[in-house]
Amino acid sequence: MTLDTEKVDRAVLALLYLGLHDGIRAWKGFDWESMNRLHEKGFISNPRGKTKSVVFTDDGLLEARRLLEELFSSSR
C-alpha cells in the first residue's frame, strides 16, 4: 500500500495537538519520518535527541489546532 505522506503528516500534526502540554509541547510518540517532515515544514522543533517531547512553532501550533478541528470535529 502506498500512503499519501501529506495526509499522514496532517493527521500526525493534529494528533500531536491532543498531547499538548505546557502550552507549546507535545509528546513525540509518532513515526519518525513524519516527525522529521513536520520539522522540515517548520511546524515543530527538531525531534531528534533524548527529550521525549517537541516544541510547536507558532505556525505549527495554529495549524495543528486547525487540522484537529478540520479532521476530527463532530460538528460537521
Side-chain angles (χ1 to χ4, degrees), residues 32-72:
W32 287 109
E33 290 181 23
S34 184
M35 296 293 285
N36 286 330
R37 287 191 301 268
L38 292 174
H39 170 64
E40 290 170 3
K41 293 174 183 177
F43 292 133
I44 60 172
S45 63
N46 192 337
R48 296 177 191 232
K50 294 182 180 183
T51 60
K52 296 184 182 198
S53 62
V54 291
V55 175
F56 281 102
T57 63
D58 291 340
D59 289 340
L61 195 58
L62 292 172
E63 183 66 1
R65 182 179 175 136
R66 185 190 73 74
L67 286 169
L68 184 67
E69 291 177 15
E70 176 185 314
L71 296 173
F72 301 108

Side-chain angles (χ1 to χ4, degrees), residues 9-30 35 38 44 53-54 56 60-74:
D9 293 352
R10 293 177 66 208
V12 169
L13 188 60
L15 291 171
L16 280 169
Y17 194 83
L18 287 176
L20 186 66
H21 62 93
D22 296 336
I24 59 169
R25 301 187 79 79
W27 301 115
K28 58 180 186 185
F30 293 96
M35 296 293 285
L38 292 174
I44 60 172
S53 62
V54 291
F56 281 102
L61 195 58
L62 292 172
E63 183 66 1
R65 182 179 175 136
R66 185 190 73 74
L67 286 169
L68 184 67
E69 291 177 15
E70 176 185 314
L71 296 173
F72 301 108
S73 175
S74 63

